[in-house]
Amino acid sequence: MNSVDFLLTDKDITYEIRTEIKRLGRPIPDVIISKTDVGKSRNYSRNFNSSVYDRFKWLCGCPKTNKLFCFICLVVGGNRSAWTQEGCVGKGRHKATALIVLIVKI
């Protein structure tokens, strides 16, 4: 129920289901994201590190798509952006709305 797939496909989520999803917590799977950057003298490889979940309490992942999403925006219907629609890979910024900041601090 608290999977990204469920949250993306089921648009008519009741308050009770949203409460249960919040109780279950955000999905924080090990996703496979890697990127190679070209430097002046060599190539650099970066891989996803699950410790990012500890730094960003709003972040969740989808193991099927290997992408990252904003859990709070998925649950409460936040802004339509890459963080709520198609997911993000690599570096990306997500504007922390007052709602996200409030919920994460609770």
Side-chain angles (χ1 to χ4, degrees):
M1 177 185 304
N2 68 331
S3 72
V4 171
D5 284 340
F6 175 79
L7 294 168
L8 287 174
T9 57
D10 192 347
K11 299 299 181 195
D12 192 26
I13 302 174
T14 64
Y15 174 78
E16 290 79 17
I17 293 174
R18 289 181 200 276
T19 303
E20 180 64 13
I21 290 170
K22 183 179 176 190
R23 188 191 68 73
L24 291 171
R26 63 196 167 113
I28 52 171
D30 283 331
V31 293
I32 301 167
I33 299 174
S34 62
K35 182 174 177 158
T36 302
D37 292 326
V38 178
K40 289 183 180 180
S41 59
R42 67 183 189 103
N43 294 344
Y44 298 91
S45 179
R46 296 183 300 154
N47 297 310
F48 176 74
N49 185 337
S50 60
S51 67
V52 172
Y53 290 130
D54 295 331
R55 288 191 348 222
F56 302 100
K57 301 296 184 187
W58 50 266
L59 193 66
C60 68
C62 179
K64 286 186 180 179
T65 61
N66 287 314
K67 293 185 178 181
L68 302 171
F69 294 84
C70 175
F71 181 65
I72 296 167
C73 290
L74 285 173
V75 174
V76 298
N79 298 348
R80 295 180 60 89
S81 69
W83 290 100
T84 59
Q85 300 298 307
E86 64 266 4
C88 288
V89 295
K91 289 183 178 180
R93 293 209 176 260
H94 181 49
K95 291 184 179 179
T97 64
L99 178 63
I100 293 173
V101 173
L102 179 65
I103 292 173
V104 170
K105 288 187 177 184
I106 293 177

